[in-house]
Amino acid sequence: MGIVEKIKEIEQEMARTQKNKATEYHLGLLKAKLARYRAQLLEPTSKSSGGGTGFDVQKSGDARVALIGFPSVGKSTLLSKTTETASASASYEFTTLTAIPGVIEYKGARIQLLDLPGIVEGASAGRGRGRQVVATAKTADLIIVMLDATKSEEQRRLLEIELDAVGIRLNKQKPDIVFKRRTTGGITFNCTVKLTKTDERTIRSILASYKLHNCDVMIREDITTDEFIDVLIGTRKYIPCLYVYNKIDSISLEQVDKIAHEPNTVVISCEMDLNLDYLIDEIWDRLSLVKVYTKKRGAHPDLTDPVCMRKGATVEDICNGIHRSLAPNFRYALVWGKSSKFAPHAQKVSLAHQVQDEDVVSIFTK
C-alpha cells in the first residue's frame, strides 16, 4: 500500500470515529501517524524523487509575497497591475505554468511578488504542480490567498485544507511549547496551565509513536493535539495571510460589504483597478517592515535608499544588511529617532539595540 492510500485510510478512519473524551487518545495517535505520512509524501528521504524542490526563483528584495489560488482567479492580472512584470493572463485555466516574480516598489522597499501556478484540489498529495507551489509558498513572508468573489466560500475552505495538510499554518502563532531531545533520562513532562484539549497520556503516546523516549517537554499554553504534533515535527511554517477577493465588480454591494468585514480580508477588482492601493498598504502592514536610514559622519542622512528590516531588528541586523564586514569591526552606533532615549538627539548604542521605523543610524567601526 502506497503512502497516499495509507493517508486516505487514516482520514476515513478519523471521519468514522466520533469525537468525545473516550476517543481522544485514539484520535491523537491517528493524527500523529497522519502527520508522519504527510511529511514522507512531501519531503521524501530519497534524493532521486525530488519531491519538494519548489520553483527555481531566487529570493530578492526586502520581503517575499506568494500569490496562491485556484486557476483563473486573477493572480496574473494582479501581478501585472501592481508590478512592472507582465504575466500571461487569459480567460482559460492554467495560463501560468511556472512561478513568475515581480517587484512592488513601496515606501523605498522592494517587495517580491510571486505569481504561482493555480492550485488544484489534491495538491498536497502531489496533484498538478502542487508540491512545487507549496515548497515555494513556504519561503514566503506573507501569503495572499486569491479568491473569486463570484464563487462560493468552499474555494477558501479547500485552499486552507491543502495548505494545512502541507504544514503551512495561516495567521497562527507557534504554540508556546519547549521541546528538547536528550540521550538519556526518559521523558520529563511539565505543564504550567491546565490542558483541556489534550492530556499527558496522549502526548506521551505521540512521543512513543515517534520513537522519542528521552526528552524534555514544557507546555505553557492550553494546546491541542495537532499543535503538539506541529512542534514535534518542527517543519511547520507560521505565515501571515491575506484573503483577497477579486471580481467584486460582478457582485452586489451588500455582498461586497459582507466580505470586506471579514477578518484578514481585502476586496478588489483587478479588471477595474478597484482598491489595489489599499491592498498594497495592507501587504506592507502585514509584513511588519521597518525602514532605517543610514548616515555618514558629517553628512545628511540618505533618505532615498532605506535599509528595510523586519520589526524587532537590531543594529547588528542593519550592519549585516549593509555589509558582512561591518559587525565584526563594529565600535558603536549613533541612533536618532523613535528608538533613541534622548530623541530628538542621538543615543550611543551597541549591536543589540533594537531599531524602530524611520530611525537614522550612523555606524562607527574600528
Side-chain angles (χ1 to χ4, degrees):
M1 189 188 289
I3 292 175
V4 175
E5 287 76 24
K6 287 178 181 176
I7 288 172
K8 281 181 182 173
E9 196 176 85
I10 293 169
E11 285 174 341
Q12 285 166 3
E13 189 178 344
M14 286 173 70
R16 287 195 303 268
T17 308
Q18 284 189 331
K19 289 183 181 179
N20 54 48
K21 204 74 181 167
T23 60
E24 206 174 73
Y25 175 75
H26 177 61
L27 283 169
L29 290 177
L30 288 176
K31 284 175 180 177
K33 202 180 285 185
L34 184 64
R36 197 161 62 247
Y37 284 140
R38 279 178 173 163
Q40 285 175 23
L41 185 69
L42 287 157
E43 294 154 24
T45 50
S46 59
K47 291 180 182 177
S48 59
S49 60
T53 52
F55 295 100
D56 190 20
V57 180
Q58 187 176 349
K59 199 168 182 177
S60 66
D62 302 302
R64 171 179 275 190
V65 178
L67 282 171
I68 285 183
F70 288 119
S72 292
V73 290
K75 300 187 301 296
S76 299
T77 311
L78 179 64
L79 183 82
S80 302
K81 296 267 184 174
T82 54
T83 72
E84 292 182 3
T85 304
S87 183
S89 57
S91 56
Y92 54 85
E93 295 188 345
F94 300 106
T95 319
T96 305
L97 299 174
T98 187
I100 299 168
V103 175
I104 300 172
E105 302 268 358
Y106 187 73
K107 292 188 177 180
R110 290 170 58 81
I111 301 166
Q112 186 184 51
L113 187 64
L114 271 187
D115 176 17
L116 296 172
I119 273 187
V120 294
E121 199 175 340
S124 58
R127 277 192 70 201
R129 305 192 76 178
R131 289 187 194 175
Q132 287 169 296
V133 171
V134 163
T136 308
K138 279 189 169 185
T139 67
D141 302 300
L142 172 71
I143 287 176
I144 289 180
V145 171
M146 196 93 171
L147 302 160
D148 188 333
T150 63
K151 293 183 180 175
S152 71
E153 278 297 294
E154 184 70 3
Q155 55 175 335
R156 174 168 167 171
R157 192 185 70 81
L158 289 171
L159 280 170
E160 286 174 339
I161 289 169
E162 292 297 331
L163 293 171
D164 196 71
V166 295
I168 294 176
R169 303 291 179 255
L170 301 177
N171 294 326
K172 288 182 181 176
Q173 295 292 323
K174 189 176 179 181
D176 195 357
I177 302 169
V178 179
F179 170 75
K180 288 181 183 175
R181 295 170 189 261
R182 289 188 300 169
T183 51
T184 56
I187 296 170
T188 306
F189 183 88
N190 287 298
C191 192
T192 60
V193 293
K194 187 181 178 183
L195 296 177
T196 60
K197 302 164 191 169
T198 187
D199 54 35
E200 185 177 343
R201 178 173 173 244
T202 305
I203 287 169
R204 285 182 179 273
S205 66
I206 290 166
L207 289 168
S209 73
Y210 277 89
K211 296 183 172 61
L212 292 166
H213 307 294
N214 300 288
C215 59
D216 292 329
V217 178
M218 166 74 82
I219 298 173
R220 295 188 284 218
E221 68 174 281
D222 189 13
I223 58 158
T224 62
T225 305
D226 292 313
E227 287 172 332
F228 180 74
I229 293 167
D230 284 350
V231 172
L232 201 61
I233 291 172
T235 57
R236 302 308 190 222
K237 292 284 182 179
Y238 299 85
I239 305 175
C241 169
L242 265 179
Y243 297 96
V244 177
Y245 285 82
N246 188 26
K247 306 181 185 178
I248 58 166
D249 52 302
S250 303
I251 60 173
S252 67
L253 280 172
E254 289 79 10
Q255 287 174 292
V256 173
D257 187 60
K258 184 186 173 186
I259 294 169
H261 279 88
E262 290 179 12
N264 306 309
T265 299
V266 177
V267 291
I268 64 164
S269 170
C270 290
E271 206 62 45
M272 298 184 71
D273 289 352
L274 293 174
N275 228 20
L276 296 184
D277 289 341
Y278 176 71
L279 171 61
I280 293 171
D281 287 339
E282 281 294 298
I283 289 171
W284 173 264
D285 290 341
R286 299 301 166 113
L287 286 171
S288 299
L289 293 174
V290 294
K291 303 188 303 297
V292 177
Y293 302 104
T294 54
K295 178 186 178 303
K296 290 181 181 177
R297 188 185 299 186
H300 291 292
D302 183 4
L303 302 179
T304 59
D305 188 21
V307 178
C308 290
M309 309 297 294
R310 304 308 293 268
K311 204 169 276 184
T314 62
V315 171
E316 185 173 8
D317 296 324
I318 301 294
C319 290
N320 293 331
I322 297 168
H323 198 276
R324 62 185 178 185
S325 67
L326 280 177
N329 297 309
F330 180 86
R331 274 174 62 209
Y332 66 90
L334 293 176
V335 175
W336 293 261
K338 294 174 191 171
S339 71
S340 170
K341 284 182 186 176
F342 315 117
H345 303 293
Q347 180 188 351
K348 189 176 180 180
V349 297
S350 67
L351 283 171
H353 178 82
Q354 276 195 9
V355 294
Q356 291 190 35
D357 193 32
E358 299 195 331
D359 274 0
V360 174
V361 177
S362 189
I363 296 162
F364 294 83
T365 54
K366 293 171 185 172

